[in-house]
Amino acid sequence: MITAGVKAAARLVMALALVMPIASGQGVGVGGGGSVGSGVVAAGVRAVGVGVGGGELVAVAKVAGVSRVPGEKISARLDRYLAGRAGVATAMVKDLGTGQVYRYHAGERLITASTAKVQILMALLLRTSWKKLPAGVRRDAEMMIRYSDNHAADRLWLRIGGAGGFTAAGKRFGLKHTQGVPGDCLDLYCWGITKTSVDDQVRLMAALVSERSPLKKSDRQQVLKLMGAVVDGQDWGISAAACEGDRVALKNGWLKRVSTKRWATISVGLIRSDGRDYAVAVLTEGSPEVGYGIATVEGVAKRIMQDFRKCRA
């Protein structure tokens, strides 16, 4: 949640967000990027066909008895949808059970806004397990994730060692493109303008359900519990792609750029159904209004997920 007193779309009743200037090299681009994305293939999964779509290579995977994700078809669908919309978008979905993955403009590096708060919490729990944290710190963690409280995030940012601690924790989770930004941005620290990739965000989400995660199971479950209980008005985003009965754990972010008056709108998390976990990340920048950005994020998530599985009628 990042600026002050901005009226959002109907589903985001009133958002307080942090208005930040664009730091050097943080400009908003328009359009996709001709970058290369490759499938992350699970054990027992073999990569098949590479299709061209959305200005980049999209690699897909195949498992015995599991239909191939139609990368070209999804990319064409997204290209048509985004052609008439402002800004730039990047997205990724990974079926954590089969290893099948789809990427759209994966080479883009966009800002996290408040989605960085998940990594702040995970960095905190690498240092001290949830049960051993003081009550006030646990309260800050709840406020940061469920209510997207910026000042709670600032306090925890300092507790994890600021940008250095944030980046070090990311490396333990296998992140490659996400570096903490030191210093102050107006009245808050600069976690909100951290640049990241959809690959990194999916890696982070996968670490919440993986037995190989550096986080203990009880701490992973606590993060998921908080992400599954965000307050009404902040539960938009990848949840739009969920089927009835699915469990969704998410964190959203929205930030208005002072220099461009345009919004970054982001949603990352897990869609969990019938023993299957889908890690989903959609990042956008350049929307004229936050509600417009929410619509873009949701439109992208739905257009990808419809080819990963079908909702029951």
Side-chain angles (χ1 to χ4, degrees), residues 182-250:
D184 298 342
C185 293
L186 297 183
D187 61 335
L188 297 172
Y189 293 104
C190 293
W191 41 262
I193 59 168
T194 303
K195 283 200 171 184
T196 192
S197 66
V198 287
D199 273 278
D200 274 3
Q201 292 306 303
V202 164
R203 285 188 190 99
L204 201 62
M205 296 305 104
L208 291 173
V209 293
S210 171
E211 293 298 326
R212 294 179 293 177
S213 172
L215 277 185
K216 294 190 301 185
K217 183 177 181 179
S218 59
D219 289 332
R220 299 197 308 268
Q221 290 175 335
Q222 183 60 44
V223 178
L224 290 170
K225 178 181 178 181
L226 295 176
M227 291 174 65
V230 297
V231 295
D232 290 344
Q234 293 187 28
D235 54 355
W236 45 268
I238 68 163
S239 55
C243 298
E244 185 176 354
D246 286 354
R247 292 170 295 145
V248 179
L250 59 74

Side-chain angles (χ1 to χ4, degrees), residues 236-312:
W236 45 268
I238 68 163
S239 55
C243 298
E244 185 176 354
D246 286 354
R247 292 170 295 145
V248 179
L250 59 74
K251 184 70 192 81
N252 297 325
W254 54 103
L255 181 155
K256 189 175 185 180
R257 297 286 207 174
V258 171
S259 62
T260 64
K261 309 300 182 185
R262 295 273 167 163
W263 287 83
T265 316
I266 303 98
S267 185
V268 303
L270 292 158
I271 297 175
R272 316 187 73 185
S273 174
D274 296 329
R276 301 285 285 275
D277 291 328
Y278 300 92
V280 186
V282 183
L283 285 66
T284 72
E285 286 196 35
S287 294
E289 300 289 346
V290 66
Y292 184 102
I294 290 170
T296 299
V297 166
E298 294 186 339
V300 168
K302 288 189 288 188
R303 283 165 174 79
I304 299 174
M305 281 301 298
Q306 70 184 66
D307 279 309
F308 271 78
R309 52 80 183 273
K310 303 296 181 185
C311 295
R312 296 190 184 96

Side-chain angles (χ1 to χ4, degrees), residues 19-306:
V19 182
M20 299 178 180
I22 297 182
S24 176
Q26 302 261 353
V28 175
V30 178
S35 55
V36 177
S38 60
V40 179
V41 185
V45 182
R46 64 186 181 86
V48 299
V50 177
V52 178
E56 65 186 68
L57 295 179
V58 179
V60 295
K62 187 173 183 179
V63 182
V66 178
S67 298
R68 172 182 177 271
V69 175
E72 291 183 0
K73 178 181 176 182
I74 298 173
S75 292
R77 183 187 300 135
L78 290 178
D79 286 345
R80 289 193 300 270
Y81 172 63
L82 294 169
R85 299 191 69 79
V88 59
T90 177
M92 178 174 169
V93 173
K94 183 177 182 180
D95 181 333
L96 300 181
T98 66
Q100 293 203 97
V101 64
Y102 171 78
R103 294 175 173 86
Y104 187 76
H105 295 311
E108 293 286 354
R109 302 291 180 260
L110 304 184
I111 60 172
T112 57
S114 281
T115 58
K117 291 168 181 172
V118 176
Q119 187 171 332
I120 293 174
L121 177 55
M122 293 172 74
L124 176 70
L125 295 175
L126 283 176
R127 292 167 171 251
T128 310
S129 67
W130 180 263
K131 291 182 179 180
K132 294 182 179 179
L133 288 171
V137 176
R138 293 198 302 269
R139 178 61 176 166
D140 273 346
E142 180 180 1
M143 293 297 295
M144 176 178 71
I145 300 298
R146 294 193 59 223
Y147 296 86
S148 208
D149 185 286
N150 290 331
H151 295 294
D154 264 7
R155 290 188 289 273
L156 297 182
W157 177 259
L158 291 177
R159 193 176 183 91
I160 66 170
F166 181 87
T167 301
K171 289 179 179 178
R172 288 191 62 185
F173 290 112
L175 308 194
K176 300 177 180 179
H177 313 122
T178 308
Q179 305 260 341
V181 180
D184 298 342
C185 293
L186 297 183
D187 61 335
L188 297 172
Y189 293 104
C190 293
W191 41 262
I193 59 168
T194 303
K195 283 200 171 184
T196 192
S197 66
V198 287
D199 273 278
D200 274 3
Q201 292 306 303
V202 164
R203 285 188 190 99
L204 201 62
M205 296 305 104
L208 291 173
V209 293
S210 171
E211 293 298 326
R212 294 179 293 177
S213 172
L215 277 185
K216 294 190 301 185
K217 183 177 181 179
S218 59
D219 289 332
R220 299 197 308 268
Q221 290 175 335
Q222 183 60 44
V223 178
L224 290 170
K225 178 181 178 181
L226 295 176
M227 291 174 65
V230 297
V231 295
D232 290 344
Q234 293 187 28
D235 54 355
W236 45 268
I238 68 163
S239 55
C243 298
E244 185 176 354
D246 286 354
R247 292 170 295 145
V248 179
L250 59 74
K251 184 70 192 81
N252 297 325
W254 54 103
L255 181 155
K256 189 175 185 180
R257 297 286 207 174
V258 171
S259 62
T260 64
K261 309 300 182 185
R262 295 273 167 163
W263 287 83
T265 316
I266 303 98
S267 185
V268 303
L270 292 158
I271 297 175
R272 316 187 73 185
S273 174
D274 296 329
R276 301 285 285 275
D277 291 328
Y278 300 92
V280 186
V282 183
L283 285 66
T284 72
E285 286 196 35
S287 294
E289 300 289 346
V290 66
Y292 184 102
I294 290 170
T296 299
V297 166
E298 294 186 339
V300 168
K302 288 189 288 188
R303 283 165 174 79
I304 299 174
M305 281 301 298
Q306 70 184 66

